[in-house]
Amino acid sequence: AKRVGGSGWRAYDPASTLRRARSRLLEAELRTGLDQGQFFLLFQPQVSLTSGRLAGAEALLRWQHPTLGMISPAEFISISEANGFICDLGQFMFREACKAATSWPSHVSVAVNISPVQFLRGDLLSDIRAALAASGLAPHRLHVEITESIFVERSEELFSKLDALRDLGVTIALDDFGTGYSSLSYISSLPLDKLKIDQSFVREMVSDPATQSIVQAVMTLAHGLGLKVVGEGVENALQSEMLAAMGCEEGQGYLFGRPQSARQIQALSAAHSLL
Ligand code: C2E
Ligand code: CA
Ligand code: CA
Ligand code: CA
């Protein structure tokens, strides 16, 4: 057993020891991984539920390590947030995502996830400006996805950064909506363009009337505020049809496509309908 703080003892836990060791290993490999081109982006289709056409794609980071294999963002994003490396990854993401989108038709957008750490620590605005300039991508085609967790600190700096982002002309989406703590009314005070309904709601709404009412209420409020709505984690036609019937503009999920290469997205953009 190990002494913890001044009070009590914690049993030796081999699983958590292993987890910490793996964490340290990954942390030590991040920099080399980025320098040696082990990171890349995949893109998941976002489909218009009215026309069935491809509306955009979300960039999702992947790490193909030479000996550890494919490492999930669920694992390396939190490590990168803890040590600040997320800001370097962010710079890479913006550059690669904007470049990829220039090979797609002009009605197809690209969405990039921004971690709260990047928002508060990194040189976010200049990274985005540089990526837009280098690629020549029209700013409105770049969508940034933020989560409610960035509003934990409701600082002046946060709001001025959001406003600056807006001034750049990029589109701002609130990700994973419903999993955080913001009230519906709080959303109205934020400079947003889009709201993404978390996949847990999309999954549950088909069998649970209460969840369906929540999704409908969110949709009504969002539309009242002039926001577009995207349903996440759409895996079957019933979910897609329910969202469409509620007036949801876009859907994203395995029904329409897994995360895939920029070239594959380009091919999808030629399809008449993905519904
Ligand atoms: P997220 O932003 O909510 O991204 C959606 C996640 O749901 C992706 O997992 C995607 O593959 C998965 N997904 C999409 N459709 C479906 C579906 O129909 N069913 C199910 N069960 N899952 C679906 P992924 O790629 O493993 O990413 C996980 C999380 O890692 C992301 O959640 C995001 O928070 C973070 N992440 C990924 N790439 C980046 C990045 O470039 N930057 C930052 N800051 N975070 C990233
Ligand atoms: Ca996202
Ligand atoms: Ca999400
Ligand atoms: Ca998520």
Side-chain angles (χ1 to χ4, degrees), residues 116 145-154 158 173-184 186-187 190 192 195-196 198 201:
E145 298 192 356
I146 58 177
T147 57
E148 294 163 82
S149 58
I150 75 165
F151 302 113
V152 172
E153 279 177 74
R154 303 184 182 191
L158 173 71
L174 187 62
D175 201 3
D176 301 344
F177 185 71
T179 59
Y181 54 84
S182 343
S183 64
L184 286 173
Y186 181 56
I187 295 306
L190 304 173
L192 300 172
L195 200 134
K196 298 186 76 176
D198 189 68
F201 291 89

Side-chain angles (χ1 to χ4, degrees), residues 140 142-144 146 162 165-166 169-174 187 190-196 222 225-230 249:
H140 72 272
L142 175 61
H143 295 196
V144 297
I146 58 177
L162 271 179
L165 258 182
R166 253 295 179 72
V170 306
T171 301
I172 304 177
L174 187 62
I187 295 306
L190 304 173
L192 300 172
D193 303 291
K194 245 178 150 177
L195 200 134
K196 298 186 76 176
L225 296 170
L227 307 181
K228 277 194 181 177
V229 182
V230 186
E249 280 83 0

Side-chain angles (χ1 to χ4, degrees), residues 99-267:
K99 196 167 76 185
T102 56
S103 67
W104 306 335
S106 62
H107 69 276
V108 179
S109 57
V110 67
V112 175
N113 291 285
I114 301 185
S115 119
V117 176
Q118 251 173 301
F119 215 91
L120 294 171
R121 276 215 258 165
D123 215 348
L124 182 67
L125 272 306
S126 58
D127 288 348
I128 295 179
R129 247 186 246 109
L132 287 170
S135 63
L137 188 75
H140 72 272
R141 292 180 63 195
L142 175 61
H143 295 196
V144 297
E145 298 192 356
I146 58 177
T147 57
E148 294 163 82
S149 58
I150 75 165
F151 302 113
V152 172
E153 279 177 74
R154 303 184 182 191
S155 62
E156 276 305 309
E157 196 198 343
L158 173 71
F159 285 97
S160 72
K161 276 199 178 172
L162 271 179
D163 286 336
L165 258 182
R166 253 295 179 72
D167 291 342
L168 276 182
V170 306
T171 301
I172 304 177
L174 187 62
D175 201 3
D176 301 344
F177 185 71
T179 59
Y181 54 84
S182 343
S183 64
L184 286 173
S185 60
Y186 181 56
I187 295 306
S188 67
S189 66
L190 304 173
L192 300 172
D193 303 291
K194 245 178 150 177
L195 200 134
K196 298 186 76 176
I197 297 184
D198 189 68
Q199 50 188 58
S200 57
F201 291 89
V202 173
R203 198 180 311 121
E204 279 157 34
M205 80 184 171
V206 288
S207 56
D208 178 25
T211 304
Q212 196 188 331
S213 305
I214 292 170
V215 173
Q216 182 64 74
V218 167
M219 207 85 75
T220 305
L221 176 98
H223 289 153
L225 296 170
L227 307 181
K228 277 194 181 177
V229 182
V230 186
E232 290 194 272
V234 180
E235 295 183 351
N236 59 56
L238 180 58
Q239 293 165 341
S240 169
E241 282 155 18
M242 278 182 74
L243 286 170
M246 287 192 254
C248 186
E249 280 83 0
E250 291 173 16
Q252 178 180 350
Y254 297 161
L255 177 68
F256 308 115
R258 301 253 167 183
Q260 50 199 282
S261 73
R263 279 190 76 90
Q264 287 171 306
I265 292 294
Q266 188 185 7

